[in-house]
Amino acid sequence: MSQFERYLGIDYSGAQTPSSSLKGLRFYAATRTEPPIEIPPPPSPRKYWTRRGLAQYLAERLAEDRPTLVGIDHAFSFPLAYFEAHQLPLNWPTFLEDFQRHWPTDQDIYVDFVRYGDVGQGALRTGNPRWRRLTEVRAGTAKSVFHFDVQGQVAKSTHAGLPWLLSLRRQLGDRLHCWPFDGWEIPAGHSAVAEVYPALWKHDFPTEGRTPDQHDAYAVAAWLRQADLDDRLAGFLAPSLTPPDRTKAEIEGWILGVG
Protein backbone atom coordinates (compact mmCIF):
# COMPACT_ATOMS: atom_id res chain seq x y z
CA MET A 1 0.00 0.00 0.00
CA SER A 2 1.36 3.43 -0.92
CA GLN A 3 2.54 5.65 1.91
CA PHE A 4 2.05 9.07 0.32
CA GLU A 5 -0.79 10.92 -1.37
CA ARG A 6 1.26 13.48 -3.27
CA TYR A 7 4.68 13.55 -4.94
CA LEU A 8 6.58 16.77 -5.69
CA GLY A 9 9.63 16.96 -7.93
CA ILE A 10 11.83 20.06 -7.93
CA ASP A 11 14.65 20.88 -10.31
CA TYR A 12 16.45 23.51 -8.26
CA SER A 13 18.47 26.54 -9.33
CA GLY A 14 21.05 28.60 -7.47
CA ALA A 15 21.09 31.38 -10.05
CA GLN A 16 20.68 35.07 -9.26
CA THR A 17 18.81 35.98 -6.04
CA PRO A 18 15.98 34.40 -3.98
CA SER A 19 13.49 36.87 -5.47
CA SER A 20 14.59 36.37 -9.09
CA SER A 21 12.25 34.67 -11.55
CA LEU A 22 14.26 31.62 -12.62
CA LYS A 23 13.56 29.69 -15.80
CA GLY A 24 15.67 26.81 -14.49
CA LEU A 25 13.64 26.37 -11.29
CA ARG A 26 10.90 23.87 -12.17
CA PHE A 27 8.25 22.16 -10.10
CA TYR A 28 6.05 19.15 -10.93
CA ALA A 29 3.40 17.46 -8.78
CA ALA A 30 1.70 14.08 -8.98
CA THR A 31 -0.86 12.22 -6.90
CA ARG A 32 -1.60 8.54 -6.47
CA THR A 33 -4.13 8.71 -9.30
CA GLU A 34 -2.68 11.45 -11.52
CA PRO A 35 0.71 11.62 -13.28
CA PRO A 36 2.95 14.67 -12.84
CA ILE A 37 1.93 18.06 -14.12
CA GLU A 38 3.93 21.26 -13.98
CA ILE A 39 2.90 23.66 -11.22
CA PRO A 40 3.31 27.31 -12.20
CA PRO A 41 3.95 30.03 -9.63
CA PRO A 42 1.00 32.03 -8.29
CA PRO A 43 -0.06 34.89 -10.58
CA SER A 44 2.42 37.76 -10.40
CA PRO A 45 4.64 39.82 -12.71
CA ARG A 46 7.20 37.01 -12.44
CA LYS A 47 6.83 34.32 -15.08
CA TYR A 48 8.82 31.63 -13.25
CA TRP A 49 9.27 30.45 -9.69
CA THR A 50 11.58 32.25 -7.30
CA ARG A 51 13.40 30.37 -4.55
CA ARG A 52 11.60 32.43 -1.91
CA GLY A 53 8.21 31.91 -3.52
CA LEU A 54 8.75 28.17 -3.88
CA ALA A 55 9.81 27.84 -0.24
CA GLN A 56 6.67 29.67 0.88
CA TYR A 57 4.48 27.52 -1.35
CA LEU A 58 6.08 24.32 -0.06
CA ALA A 59 5.58 25.40 3.54
CA GLU A 60 1.87 25.90 2.87
CA ARG A 61 1.43 22.60 1.05
CA LEU A 62 3.41 20.59 3.58
CA ALA A 63 1.36 22.03 6.44
CA GLU A 64 -1.71 20.36 4.91
CA ASP A 65 -2.92 17.01 6.19
CA ARG A 66 -1.80 15.16 3.05
CA PRO A 67 1.29 12.95 3.33
CA THR A 68 3.60 14.31 0.66
CA LEU A 69 7.03 13.22 -0.55
CA VAL A 70 9.23 15.98 -1.96
CA GLY A 71 12.38 15.36 -3.99
CA ILE A 72 14.82 18.26 -4.40
CA ASP A 73 17.96 18.00 -6.50
CA HIS A 74 20.50 19.70 -4.30
CA ALA A 75 22.59 18.30 -1.47
CA PHE A 76 21.18 18.49 2.04
CA SER A 77 24.53 18.30 3.83
CA PHE A 78 28.30 18.31 3.30
CA PRO A 79 31.06 15.68 3.41
CA LEU A 80 32.33 14.55 6.78
CA ALA A 81 35.66 16.20 5.92
CA TYR A 82 33.91 19.59 6.10
CA PHE A 83 32.69 18.93 9.63
CA GLU A 84 36.16 17.82 10.67
CA ALA A 85 37.96 20.75 9.01
CA HIS A 86 35.72 23.30 10.73
CA GLN A 87 35.46 21.36 14.01
CA LEU A 88 31.67 21.22 13.83
CA PRO A 89 29.47 18.91 15.89
CA LEU A 90 28.32 15.87 13.94
CA ASN A 91 24.76 17.11 14.09
CA TRP A 92 22.72 18.01 11.01
CA PRO A 93 20.38 20.65 12.53
CA THR A 94 23.42 22.41 13.99
CA PHE A 95 25.09 22.25 10.57
CA LEU A 96 22.11 23.98 8.92
CA GLU A 97 22.08 26.78 11.49
CA ASP A 98 25.83 27.28 11.24
CA PHE A 99 25.77 27.27 7.45
CA GLN A 100 23.02 29.88 7.24
CA ARG A 101 24.91 32.19 9.60
CA HIS A 102 27.97 32.07 7.34
CA TRP A 103 26.18 31.77 3.98
CA PRO A 104 22.99 33.88 4.33
CA THR A 105 21.85 33.10 0.80
CA ASP A 106 18.20 33.43 1.80
CA GLN A 107 18.83 37.18 1.75
CA ASP A 108 18.33 39.01 -1.53
CA ILE A 109 21.85 38.32 -2.77
CA TYR A 110 23.69 36.15 -5.26
CA VAL A 111 25.55 33.08 -3.97
CA ASP A 112 28.68 34.58 -5.50
CA PHE A 113 28.38 37.63 -3.21
CA VAL A 114 29.18 35.28 -0.32
CA ARG A 115 31.74 33.29 -2.30
CA TYR A 116 33.75 36.42 -3.02
CA GLY A 117 33.45 37.96 0.44
CA ASP A 118 31.01 40.80 -0.20
CA VAL A 119 28.36 39.42 2.19
CA GLY A 120 28.41 36.92 5.05
CA GLN A 121 31.39 34.92 6.27
CA GLY A 122 31.66 32.26 3.61
CA ALA A 123 35.45 32.20 3.79
CA LEU A 124 35.13 30.62 7.23
CA ARG A 125 33.01 27.76 5.88
CA THR A 126 34.53 26.57 2.63
CA GLY A 127 35.33 23.11 1.33
CA ASN A 128 37.61 21.35 -1.10
CA PRO A 129 36.15 20.33 -4.49
CA ARG A 130 37.88 16.98 -4.05
CA TRP A 131 35.76 16.26 -0.98
CA ARG A 132 32.81 14.06 -1.88
CA ARG A 133 30.11 12.49 0.22
CA LEU A 134 29.76 8.73 0.34
CA THR A 135 26.45 8.94 -1.53
CA GLU A 136 28.09 10.92 -4.34
CA VAL A 137 30.79 8.30 -4.67
CA ARG A 138 28.18 5.55 -4.77
CA ALA A 139 26.11 7.47 -7.34
CA GLY A 140 29.12 7.54 -9.65
CA THR A 141 28.71 10.78 -11.57
CA ALA A 142 27.43 13.15 -8.86
CA LYS A 143 29.57 16.27 -8.42
CA SER A 144 31.07 17.52 -5.16
CA VAL A 145 29.02 20.13 -3.31
CA PHE A 146 32.10 22.38 -3.48
CA HIS A 147 32.72 22.02 -7.22
CA PHE A 148 31.55 25.39 -8.56
CA ASP A 149 31.58 26.69 -12.13
CA VAL A 150 31.43 23.35 -13.96
CA GLN A 151 28.73 21.76 -16.09
CA GLY A 152 26.30 19.75 -14.00
CA GLN A 153 27.36 21.45 -10.77
CA VAL A 154 25.22 21.17 -7.65
CA ALA A 155 27.43 23.51 -5.61
CA LYS A 156 25.57 26.73 -6.35
CA SER A 157 22.10 25.24 -5.97
CA THR A 158 23.16 23.57 -2.71
CA HIS A 159 24.61 26.76 -1.25
CA ALA A 160 21.47 28.63 -2.33
CA GLY A 161 19.03 25.99 -1.14
CA LEU A 162 20.26 24.97 2.32
CA PRO A 163 18.93 28.08 4.12
CA TRP A 164 15.48 27.45 2.64
CA LEU A 165 15.61 23.87 3.89
CA LEU A 166 16.34 25.29 7.33
CA SER A 167 13.39 27.66 6.92
CA LEU A 168 11.03 24.78 6.10
CA ARG A 169 12.28 22.86 9.11
CA ARG A 170 11.74 25.85 11.39
CA GLN A 171 8.22 26.46 10.10
CA LEU A 172 6.99 22.88 10.01
CA GLY A 173 8.84 21.27 12.91
CA ASP A 174 7.92 17.64 13.46
CA ARG A 175 5.36 17.75 10.65
CA LEU A 176 8.22 17.47 8.15
CA HIS A 177 10.53 14.46 8.09
CA CYS A 178 13.92 15.33 6.60
CA TRP A 179 15.25 12.03 5.28
CA PRO A 180 17.51 10.42 6.42
CA PHE A 181 18.51 12.90 9.15
CA ASP A 182 15.27 12.43 11.09
CA GLY A 183 15.47 8.67 10.61
CA TRP A 184 15.65 6.24 7.70
CA GLU A 185 12.03 5.22 8.18
CA ILE A 186 9.43 7.90 7.47
CA PRO A 187 6.53 7.65 9.96
CA ALA A 188 3.12 6.91 8.48
CA GLY A 189 1.06 10.02 7.87
CA HIS A 190 4.07 12.35 7.74
CA SER A 191 5.34 14.41 4.84
CA ALA A 192 8.99 14.11 3.95
CA VAL A 193 11.68 15.81 1.92
CA ALA A 194 14.59 13.93 0.35
CA GLU A 195 17.61 14.71 -1.78
CA VAL A 196 17.35 13.35 -5.31
CA TYR A 197 19.54 13.08 -8.40
CA PRO A 198 17.40 13.26 -11.56
CA ALA A 199 20.16 11.71 -13.69
CA LEU A 200 19.28 8.39 -12.07
CA TRP A 201 15.78 8.37 -13.53
CA LYS A 202 15.31 10.91 -16.31
CA HIS A 203 16.07 8.42 -19.06
CA ASP A 204 13.28 6.15 -17.80
CA PHE A 205 10.64 8.60 -19.03
CA PRO A 206 10.06 10.10 -22.50
CA THR A 207 10.76 13.84 -22.63
CA GLU A 208 7.55 14.66 -24.55
CA GLY A 209 8.73 18.15 -25.47
CA ARG A 210 9.84 19.21 -22.01
CA THR A 211 12.99 21.28 -21.52
CA PRO A 212 15.84 19.55 -19.63
CA ASP A 213 14.93 21.40 -16.42
CA GLN A 214 11.25 20.56 -16.80
CA HIS A 215 12.03 16.93 -17.53
CA ASP A 216 14.29 16.59 -14.50
CA ALA A 217 11.51 17.83 -12.22
CA TYR A 218 8.95 15.65 -14.02
CA ALA A 219 11.15 12.56 -13.71
CA VAL A 220 11.58 13.08 -9.97
CA ALA A 221 7.83 13.34 -9.34
CA ALA A 222 7.11 10.43 -11.69
CA TRP A 223 9.70 8.15 -10.11
CA LEU A 224 8.63 8.94 -6.55
CA ARG A 225 5.03 8.16 -7.47
CA GLN A 226 5.86 4.99 -9.35
CA ALA A 227 8.18 3.66 -6.63
CA ASP A 228 5.55 4.25 -3.95
CA LEU A 229 2.71 2.72 -5.94
CA ASP A 230 4.87 -0.32 -6.80
CA ASP A 231 5.86 -0.80 -3.14
CA ARG A 232 9.54 -0.31 -4.03
CA LEU A 233 10.00 2.94 -2.15
CA ALA A 234 10.53 1.31 1.25
CA GLY A 235 13.56 -0.52 -0.11
CA PHE A 236 15.12 2.69 -1.41
CA LEU A 237 14.51 4.36 1.96
CA ALA A 238 16.65 1.64 3.55
CA PRO A 239 19.80 1.41 1.39
CA SER A 240 22.26 -1.38 2.07
CA LEU A 241 24.97 0.23 4.19
CA THR A 242 27.44 -1.06 6.73
CA PRO A 243 26.96 0.35 10.25
CA PRO A 244 29.91 2.80 9.85
CA ASP A 245 28.63 3.96 6.46
CA ARG A 246 25.11 4.36 7.83
CA THR A 247 26.42 6.53 10.65
CA LYS A 248 28.34 8.62 8.12
CA ALA A 249 25.28 8.99 5.88
CA GLU A 250 23.23 10.24 8.82
CA ILE A 251 25.56 13.26 8.87
CA GLU A 252 26.36 13.66 5.17
CA GLY A 253 22.90 12.77 3.90
CA TRP A 254 21.93 10.32 1.19
CA ILE A 255 20.56 10.55 -2.34
CA LEU A 256 17.25 8.69 -2.54
CA GLY A 257 17.58 5.89 -5.07
CA VAL A 258 21.30 5.30 -4.63
CA GLY A 259 21.96 1.75 -3.46
Side-chain angles (χ1 to χ4, degrees):
M1 181 178 177
S2 56
Q3 182 172 353
F4 298 97
E5 296 181 11
R6 186 167 50 187
Y7 313 90
L8 309 182
I10 296 169
D11 186 57
Y12 212 70
S13 172
Q16 300 182 49
T17 76
S19 58
S20 299
S21 175
L22 301 175
K23 188 176 182 179
L25 181 56
R26 297 291 184 157
F27 177 29
Y28 276 71
T31 67
R32 288 176 182 169
T33 57
E34 297 294 333
I37 59 170
E38 185 163 20
I39 305 299
S44 80
R46 295 179 173 87
K47 183 177 181 180
Y48 303 108
W49 283 102
T50 69
R51 288 194 292 275
R52 177 173 287 110
L54 182 58
Q56 292 170 347
Y57 184 88
L58 283 176
E60 293 168 2
R61 298 288 78 75
L62 294 173
E64 297 170 353
D65 192 22
R66 293 186 65 188
T68 300
L69 181 57
V70 185
I72 305 178
D73 73 333
H74 69 66
F76 285 11
S77 187
F78 286 170
L80 191 59
Y82 171 91
F83 289 80
E84 295 169 344
H86 299 297
Q87 299 181 323
L88 297 176
L90 300 182
N91 178 277
W92 184 66
T94 301
F95 158 77
L96 286 181
E97 297 278 358
D98 180 82
F99 178 84
Q100 193 276 334
R101 284 195 298 271
H102 290 83
W103 288 77
T105 52
D106 49 346
Q107 297 179 13
D108 205 28
I109 58 172
Y110 284 61
V111 170
D112 285 344
F113 289 2
V114 185
R115 282 182 70 193
Y116 300 131
D118 299 316
V119 180
Q121 296 178 301
L124 299 178
R125 291 294 185 270
T126 58
N128 191 314
R130 291 190 295 273
W131 294 347
R132 295 175 73 200
R133 298 177 298 151
L134 177 62
T135 190
E136 291 158 356
V137 174
R138 292 274 284 265
T141 58
K143 299 284 194 301
S144 166
V145 295
F146 303 115
H147 203 172
F148 285 94
D149 304 325
V150 294
Q151 186 174 3
Q153 68 168 350
V154 295
K156 189 166 285 187
S157 59
T158 295
H159 284 69
L162 284 171
W164 295 110
L165 194 58
L166 173 63
S167 176
L168 285 175
R169 191 173 176 84
R170 285 172 171 171
Q171 292 179 69
L172 296 166
D174 292 341
R175 294 179 66 93
L176 180 65
H177 187 96
C178 295
W179 183 86
F181 309 99
D182 293 328
W184 294 93
E185 184 175 347
I186 301 170
H190 279 62
S191 289
V193 60
E195 177 185 348
V196 294
Y197 184 37
L200 295 175
W201 312 317
K202 64 182 180 180
H203 299 298
D204 295 341
F205 304 96
T207 56
E208 298 177 333
R210 288 181 287 270
T211 68
D213 294 316
Q214 287 175 315
H215 189 61
D216 280 358
Y218 172 92
V220 170
W223 186 89
L224 294 176
R225 173 179 181 262
Q226 185 173 296
D228 195 23
L229 294 178
D230 293 346
D231 293 325
R232 293 180 294 118
L233 184 61
F236 288 109
L237 291 171
S240 179
L241 297 169
T242 65
D245 284 350
R246 182 172 293 269
T247 298
K248 189 175 186 180
E250 288 166 358
I251 302 301
E252 294 187 336
W254 199 256
I255 297 169
L256 182 60
V258 171

